[in-house]
Amino acid sequence: MVGTSTELFDFIAAELERFVETEGDDFHLPEGRHRELGFTFSFPVHQTSISSGTLVKWTKGFCINGTVGEDVVAELSSAMERQGLDMKVTALVNDTVGTLAGGIYADNDVVAAVILGTGTNAAYVEHVDAIPKWKGPLPRSGNMVINMEWGNFKSDKLPRSDYDIALDFESLNPGEQMYEKMISGMYLGEVVRRILLRLAHDASLFGDVVPSKLEKLFVLRTPDMSAMHHDTSHDLKHLGAKLKDILGVADTSLEARYITLHVCDKVAERGARLAAAGIYGIVKKLGRDRAPTDGSPKQRTVVAIDGGLYEHYKKFSSRVEATVAELLGEAAASSVVVKMANDGSGIGAALLAASHSQYNVVE
């Protein structure tokens, strides 16, 4: 996540070569064909064609020198050439767009895709007459995919706390990705750490001495927060073991463990409810937030979600779903489905690469 552009893309190309080496002997490309690739790149890009785009900025804690303003497909292509890989990028795809494509391929009622993982973003299908920015020829379908880059949403309506303000100030991209810093896997554990640190200083949560490891930025990762939050033992022994492993606190009181559990619960709940508000916003923008009143049949609306946070943090994902239903109301919620699209961005990128293959022939 930190280094030079060459180091990053050489790493990707090396991993790609390792993957190709695992393929069986029965996989062979026809003579004269290059292997084609869908490249999921989940950062803000100014995309100039289906297979090229320049990086606008890094997000999710990445700090790679020499890539902003460069064509990321050209960077990967050069790295693959250095690695000796005979491949061509056919489609450059944002992860939300890939999830949307994969979702619609499996279910025609999918209208939006959301990423809830290390970072967060969303994409949805919009009518072109609702896009004042669009200046080019109109697509024949009358629709266009909107990559929202909603992680960068900022508003005085967002309930930012002192912990959020301090986290943002000390981050690699202060003043940016405000929404992402409140709801995504990169940051939830860090918010918990900051609250626990305040409690350790002001209320001696972990005894008279503040654990030195608790002062370290991002020492508490969201998967660890999730593991503590899901502890159902009567004495929270698993949570206590995590505090020992991560913070070096050998003995924690039952009260300290329950307070830690409560902090995890509240941070996860806030993040989940804010994420659900974003999903509800898309559904409302599309006019799918109300049940029909004229007796016509309900229109099924599906939102596909991909990302490790949503997939593995069950108390988080269940609250996302419950809050979407709460915001919609009982009548409308019965026709709106929020569902997991496992590896949707990868599958979608492959589908889009295949649909734009240079070898496609209509017979």
Side-chain angles (χ1 to χ4, degrees):
M1 294 171 66
V2 177
T4 67
S5 187
T6 300
E7 289 170 336
L8 172 64
F9 286 97
D10 279 353
F11 169 77
I12 295 172
E15 290 299 305
L16 199 52
E17 183 180 45
R18 284 180 56 193
F19 168 75
V20 170
E21 288 174 351
T22 66
E23 291 178 333
D25 294 335
D26 57 340
F27 181 85
H28 295 287
L29 284 171
E31 187 69 29
R33 285 197 178 187
H34 298 281
R35 191 189 301 258
E36 294 179 303
L37 186 70
F39 182 21
T40 303
F41 189 75
S42 50
F43 300 91
V45 163
H46 175 61
Q47 191 153 359
T48 50
S49 76
I50 187 63
S51 59
S52 63
T54 57
L55 176 64
V56 176
K57 64 181 178 182
W58 290 109
T59 58
K60 291 174 285 197
F62 275 70
C63 186
I64 305 293
N65 296 323
T67 321
V68 173
E70 298 297 325
D71 183 343
V72 295
V73 172
E75 294 287 309
L76 178 59
S77 299
S78 296
M80 291 191 296
E81 190 175 329
R82 289 192 293 271
Q83 199 70 29
L85 288 171
D86 184 22
M87 292 190 186
K88 179 182 179 181
V89 176
T90 305
L92 172 65
V93 184
N94 181 272
D95 54 352
T96 54
V97 178
T99 301
L100 186 59
I104 292 173
Y105 182 79
D107 187 336
N108 282 334
D109 292 328
V110 170
V111 298
V114 174
I115 302 295
L116 290 170
T118 304
T120 185
N121 193 10
Y124 72 102
V125 180
E126 181 63 276
H127 301 295
V128 290
D129 56 9
I131 311 172
K133 285 184 177 181
W134 182 250
K135 304 301 181 187
L138 297 178
R140 284 174 295 179
S141 68
N143 295 319
M144 185 173 291
V145 174
I146 302 293
N147 168 24
M148 296 175 69
E149 291 296 344
W150 81 1
N152 202 35
F153 173 69
K154 59 185 74 174
S155 166
D156 57 7
K157 300 294 191 294
L158 280 176
R160 297 177 72 218
S161 67
D162 291 344
Y163 305 106
D164 301 307
I165 293 168
L167 184 156
D168 174 56
F169 181 76
E170 296 174 35
S171 69
L172 292 171
N173 54 346
E176 299 179 355
Q177 303 298 112
M178 298 299 193
Y179 190 45
E180 181 169 271
K181 288 169 182 173
M182 300 174 78
I183 71 174
S184 77
M186 177 77 190
Y187 301 101
L188 291 180
E190 175 63 7
V191 175
V192 169
R193 181 197 71 83
R194 288 170 181 271
I195 297 171
L196 295 180
L197 180 61
R198 172 80 64 85
L199 290 170
H201 275 295
D202 296 355
S204 302
L205 179 65
F206 300 117
D208 296 333
V209 178
V210 175
S212 59
K213 289 184 179 179
L214 190 57
E215 305 270 4
K216 185 179 178 182
L217 293 174
F218 291 96
V219 70
L220 181 62
R221 298 165 56 250
T222 300
D224 298 319
M225 168 191 170
S226 173
M228 293 192 296
H229 194 183
H230 287 92
D231 186 358
T232 56
S233 60
H234 72 281
D235 58 354
L236 299 178
K237 63 180 180 181
H238 303 300
L239 187 152
K242 277 288 182 185
L243 289 175
K244 180 181 178 180
D245 292 343
I246 298 165
L247 306 180
V249 183
D251 297 303
T252 52
S253 66
L254 185 59
E255 181 185 29
R257 295 197 291 276
Y258 269 103
I259 289 172
T260 301
L261 179 69
H262 181 71
V263 171
C264 292
D265 186 68
K266 290 305 174 186
V267 171
E269 180 179 22
R270 184 190 70 158
R273 289 179 69 82
L274 285 171
I279 294 169
Y280 171 71
I282 297 174
V283 175
K284 184 175 182 179
K285 176 67 171 63
L286 293 173
R288 306 285 190 101
D289 60 320
R290 292 179 298 277
T293 56
D294 58 0
S296 60
K298 291 181 179 179
Q299 188 176 19
R300 185 169 175 265
T301 298
V302 181
V303 178
I305 303 185
D306 192 11
L309 176 65
Y310 187 83
E311 181 180 3
H312 301 298
Y313 199 153
K314 298 306 180 185
K315 287 193 174 182
F316 180 92
S317 55
S318 64
R319 284 178 182 172
V320 170
E321 294 160 16
T323 305
V324 170
E326 175 191 332
L327 291 169
L328 286 165
E330 186 176 345
S334 63
S335 60
V336 176
V337 179
V338 178
K339 70 176 186 179
M340 184 70 205
N342 197 20
D343 193 28
S345 60
I347 292 169
L351 289 167
L352 290 168
S355 67
H356 288 83
S357 170
Q358 64 181 312
Y359 305 114
N360 281 344
V361 177
V362 179
E363 296 180 353

